[in-house]
Amino acid sequence: MDQFDVVVVGLGVLGSAASYHTALKGAKVLGLEQFELGHVHGASHDTSRIVRTSNPAPEYVALAKSAYRDWAALEKATDQKLLSITGGVVFFPQDDKTPTMRVGDYTKSLDTNNVPYELLDAQEVRRRWPRFDIEDSVATVYTADTGIAHANKTVSAMQHLARSHGATLKENTRVERIIPQSSGGVVIETSKGKFLAGKVILTTDAWTNKLLGPLGVHIPLSVMQEQVTYFKPTNPSTFESDKFPVWIWGGDTGFYGFPCFGEPTIKAARDTSNNFMTPEERTYVPSPQLLQQLTSFMDETMPDKGRQTLRTITCQYSITPDRRFVISPLEKHKDVIVGLGAAHAFKFAPAFGRVLAELAVDGKTGEDISKFEIPESASKTSKL
C-alpha cells in the first residue's frame, strides 16, 4: 500500500483547504474525491458565497476573524483576488412571532469580539440603498467587512496550491471504508486500491455517516436539496456592489442575496427550505414552489416590475443539529478527524482547513474549537 502522513477524503472547499494547509506544513498528503474535481454534487460549486463576521454566536465571529486573515494569506499565495468586500446588512423583522434571528444576539456577539457594526433603522436603509423597500418595523445590522467569495475560483486555487506543495489529489476515487489500526494509522479502502495514512481527515459532508457507521459513530445530519436563482434586474447598474450590499433576511423564513458579481445579475435564495432527500434521491431539478416563494419575497422587498428570472441552480445542504460545526477527532479513533460545515462553512474555509491540518499534523490548534466537538449523542459503542 502507498503510505501517506495524511489522507483527506472529500475535496470540496473544506477538503481542498485541508489538503493545502496539510501539504503546506510539509506532510505527505493524499486527497481523494469520489466525483470529478469541481463537481456539482455537493455544496462548493457555482460563482459566489457570502463572507462575513456577523453571527449570533461569538465562537463563529472569532473564527471568522481568523478566517479573514487566512483569506488574505490565500490571496497572496495565489496572486488572485478571491474576496470582494461590499458591506452587508442583516434584516430583523420585528413583527415575526417566532423570529429565527434576533438583533440583540448579533450585536452582543459582535461586541464580544470587538467587530464594528452599525444598527440602522428602516429609513436609513432606504436612504443608503434605495432598492430596498422594507417596513419601518425592520431593524438592520450593517457590517462593512461583509462581502463575496468567488466559490469555484477558491476551490480550484486551493487544489492548485495543495499540488504545488506536493499533495497528490485523485478524482473519481470513491472511499469505501476506513479501518483504524490498533497499532496506529488508518487503512483507506477505495475503488482504486488501498492506502495507509497516519491520519485521515473526513470532509465528506452528506456521505460522512457511511464511513463512520462501521466505526460505531453516527452524527445526526439532515440532508436537503437547496437552490439559488439568478435574476436580471431592469437596471443592473443600480445593483452594483457600490450601490447595493450583500443582504440576509432574518425572518421566520430566511432569505439572502448578492449584488451584481461578474455579470449583470443578482443572486438570491431561501435558506434551509427543508427539501429533504438523500444524495441518491437528489433530483437536481429546481422546485417551482421554492422559486415562486423567493420571487414573491423579492417583489415585496426589492420591487422591480421588469426583473427577469434567468436560471436556478441546485446544491446540497447537510445540516447538523443547531447547524453546529464539527471539527474534531473521533473519541475512540483519534487518527480519524471529522470536519462538517453544516452548510455555512464556505466563509470560514481557509481557517477551517488550517485547523483540520493543525489537528492532523500537530495534534492541536490555537483556535478555540471547544464547541465544535462531535455531539455526545453521536457516539455509540464501537464493535472494532
Side-chain angles (χ1 to χ4, degrees), residues 40-43 45 205-207 221-227 270-285 290 313-321 323 342-343:
V40 299
H41 306 298
H45 60 288
D205 206 48
W207 296 270
L221 283 176
S222 298
V223 180
M224 59 195 78
Q225 178 176 281
E226 299 295 333
Q227 62 191 57
R270 176 180 167 177
D271 186 50
T272 57
S273 65
N274 299 324
N275 187 16
F276 297 109
M277 59 185 68
T278 66
E280 295 76 21
E281 296 167 337
R282 186 177 166 192
T283 65
Y284 299 86
V285 177
L290 290 176
I313 297 171
T314 67
C315 66
Q316 185 170 267
Y317 272 26
S318 302
I319 298 180
T320 57
R323 297 189 78 166

Side-chain angles (χ1 to χ4, degrees), residues 213-288:
L215 306 184
V217 177
H218 178 90
I219 297 175
L221 283 176
S222 298
V223 180
M224 59 195 78
Q225 178 176 281
E226 299 295 333
Q227 62 191 57
V228 298
T229 298
Y230 290 79
F231 300 91
K232 182 180 179 182
T234 303
N235 185 0
S237 66
T238 62
F239 288 93
E240 294 290 343
S241 60
D242 59 341
K243 303 182 184 70
F244 191 75
V246 167
W247 59 270
I248 296 171
W249 182 264
D252 293 334
T253 301
F255 298 92
Y256 62 92
F258 301 74
C260 293
F261 181 66
E263 61 179 333
T265 65
I266 55 174
K267 173 182 169 182
R270 176 180 167 177
D271 186 50
T272 57
S273 65
N274 299 324
N275 187 16
F276 297 109
M277 59 185 68
T278 66
E280 295 76 21
E281 296 167 337
R282 186 177 166 192
T283 65
Y284 299 86
V285 177
S287 162

Side-chain angles (χ1 to χ4, degrees), residues 53 58 63 76 78 84 103 125 163 165-166 175 215 252 306 334 341 373:
T53 51
L63 187 60
K76 183 177 181 180
T78 60
S84 295
V103 64
V125 169
R163 282 175 162 153
H165 285 85
V175 173
L215 306 184
D252 293 334
K334 299 296 186 182
E373 296 177 348

Side-chain angles (χ1 to χ4, degrees), residues 72-307:
L74 183 62
E75 289 185 318
K76 183 177 181 180
T78 60
D79 195 26
Q80 294 185 70
K81 184 177 175 60
L82 300 174
L83 295 188
S84 295
I85 302 303
T86 63
V89 291
V90 183
F91 295 123
F92 301 87
Q94 301 301 296
D95 54 356
D96 280 359
K97 295 181 180 179
T98 56
T100 56
M101 295 160 54
R102 294 177 173 82
V103 64
D105 295 335
Y106 273 71
T107 56
K108 182 178 179 181
S109 182
L110 291 168
D111 285 337
T112 298
N113 285 278
N114 298 310
V115 174
Y117 63 89
E118 295 179 65
L119 186 57
L120 308 176
D121 60 23
Q123 182 178 355
E124 179 63 12
V125 169
R126 293 190 294 263
R127 185 189 70 80
R128 292 194 193 185
W129 305 288
R131 298 306 321 211
F132 289 121
D133 184 13
I134 61 172
E135 297 181 357
D136 289 342
S137 59
V138 176
T140 302
V141 171
Y142 171 78
T143 44
D145 62 4
T146 295
I148 304 171
H150 195 301
N152 288 334
K153 185 189 292 186
T154 294
V155 177
S156 178
M158 289 175 170
Q159 292 169 355
H160 173 77
L161 284 175
R163 282 175 162 153
S164 71
H165 285 85
T168 300
L169 304 185
K170 294 181 178 290
E171 60 186 351
N172 298 311
T173 305
R174 183 181 66 258
V175 173
E176 297 170 340
R177 192 179 182 193
I178 57 173
I179 308 171
Q181 304 297 290
S182 58
S183 58
V186 184
V187 171
I188 298 96
E189 296 182 349
T190 81
S191 58
K192 296 184 179 180
K194 296 181 180 181
F195 303 95
L196 179 63
K199 303 282 186 179
V200 62
I201 296 173
L202 299 183
T203 46
T204 42
D205 206 48
W207 296 270
T208 299
N209 285 322
K210 287 187 176 182
L211 296 176
L212 293 184
L215 306 184
V217 177
H218 178 90
I219 297 175
L221 283 176
S222 298
V223 180
M224 59 195 78
Q225 178 176 281
E226 299 295 333
Q227 62 191 57
V228 298
T229 298
Y230 290 79
F231 300 91
K232 182 180 179 182
T234 303
N235 185 0
S237 66
T238 62
F239 288 93
E240 294 290 343
S241 60
D242 59 341
K243 303 182 184 70
F244 191 75
V246 167
W247 59 270
I248 296 171
W249 182 264
D252 293 334
T253 301
F255 298 92
Y256 62 92
F258 301 74
C260 293
F261 181 66
E263 61 179 333
T265 65
I266 55 174
K267 173 182 169 182
R270 176 180 167 177
D271 186 50
T272 57
S273 65
N274 299 324
N275 187 16
F276 297 109
M277 59 185 68
T278 66
E280 295 76 21
E281 296 167 337
R282 186 177 166 192
T283 65
Y284 299 86
V285 177
S287 162
Q289 292 79 14
L290 290 176
L291 177 57
Q292 179 57 48
Q293 184 186 57
L294 174 63
T295 301
S296 297
F297 172 82
M298 298 284 286
D299 289 343
E300 293 176 2
T301 312
M302 288 154 268
D304 181 359
K305 292 183 178 180
R307 182 167 48 225

Side-chain angles (χ1 to χ4, degrees), residues 51 67-75 82-83 149 154 346-347 350:
V51 292
Y68 272 81
R69 294 189 288 271
D70 289 304
W71 278 108
L74 183 62
E75 289 185 318
L82 300 174
L83 295 188
T154 294
F346 203 106
K347 65 183 73 65

